[in-house]
Amino acid sequence: MADGRAASPGESILRLRWIDSGLPHPTPQLELWVGRVLVCIFDLGLEELLLAAEYLGLEWHSSDEQVESDDRRREIAEGQGWIMEDFDKHDLFSRQRSVEEVLRAAAVRARSNRRLVIDLSSRR
């Protein structure tokens, strides 16, 4: 279950919680390219669903500049059709299984979005 691509313990725990949700195993450090430009790197993602998850640890996601960068990244990713879910330490380390529920619900939305995109593109 170990994967050396995780950039933090929080990302590793998020990946394990993702796996516990019953979804297909995510790709750690999944790159989002728009044309020839690397737009962002998701902590975890499923490219086939355009579904990503981020662990927002305090060290890398708490300053005003970091929050602004996260907001820009989300705006670009969502503009490309991605669904992103953010989690922090309170989400990951609680006894509740809400992380798994949120991920499963996001996967349902992502599947619905993919069908819509496929249906619209097939009409051309």
Side-chain angles (χ1 to χ4, degrees), residues 33-89:
W33 291 82
V34 177
R36 295 182 178 202
V37 177
L38 177 62
V39 174
C40 68
I41 301 173
F42 300 119
D43 292 341
L44 300 170
L46 280 177
E47 192 165 14
E48 62 269 20
L49 282 183
L50 301 182
L51 176 61
E54 291 287 312
Y55 174 67
L56 302 180
L58 290 177
E59 183 177 357
W60 298 104
H61 300 276
S62 59
S63 74
D64 290 342
E65 294 83 16
Q66 291 163 334
V67 170
E68 188 176 309
S69 176
D70 288 341
D71 290 345
R72 275 194 314 272
R73 177 180 53 183
R74 173 179 291 285
E75 184 178 308
I76 292 168
E78 289 178 349
Q80 295 295 313
W82 284 81
I83 291 179
M84 290 180 59
E85 292 294 342
D86 295 333
F87 301 95
D88 62 22
K89 66 181 180 180

Side-chain angles (χ1 to χ4, degrees), residues 1-123:
M1 298 291 283
D3 191 310
R5 293 175 286 180
S8 72
E11 287 181 26
S12 292
I13 296 202
L14 178 56
R15 185 173 53 80
L16 294 174
R17 301 280 302 263
W18 179 308
I19 293 167
D20 284 349
S21 76
L23 295 173
H25 288 219
T27 301
Q29 305 307 316
L30 180 63
E31 296 177 344
L32 172 58
W33 291 82
V34 177
R36 295 182 178 202
V37 177
L38 177 62
V39 174
C40 68
I41 301 173
F42 300 119
D43 292 341
L44 300 170
L46 280 177
E47 192 165 14
E48 62 269 20
L49 282 183
L50 301 182
L51 176 61
E54 291 287 312
Y55 174 67
L56 302 180
L58 290 177
E59 183 177 357
W60 298 104
H61 300 276
S62 59
S63 74
D64 290 342
E65 294 83 16
Q66 291 163 334
V67 170
E68 188 176 309
S69 176
D70 288 341
D71 290 345
R72 275 194 314 272
R73 177 180 53 183
R74 173 179 291 285
E75 184 178 308
I76 292 168
E78 289 178 349
Q80 295 295 313
W82 284 81
I83 291 179
M84 290 180 59
E85 292 294 342
D86 295 333
F87 301 95
D88 62 22
K89 66 181 180 180
H90 302 290
D91 299 312
L92 294 186
F93 300 106
S94 71
R95 293 184 187 270
Q96 298 177 15
R97 303 307 285 183
S98 62
V99 170
E100 290 80 357
E101 292 169 17
V102 168
L103 289 170
R104 284 191 296 269
V108 168
R109 290 193 323 273
R111 285 185 183 108
S112 177
N113 285 354
R114 294 294 291 167
R115 278 193 292 277
L116 179 62
V117 169
I118 291 167
D119 287 346
L120 290 176
S121 66
S122 67
R123 293 180 185 174

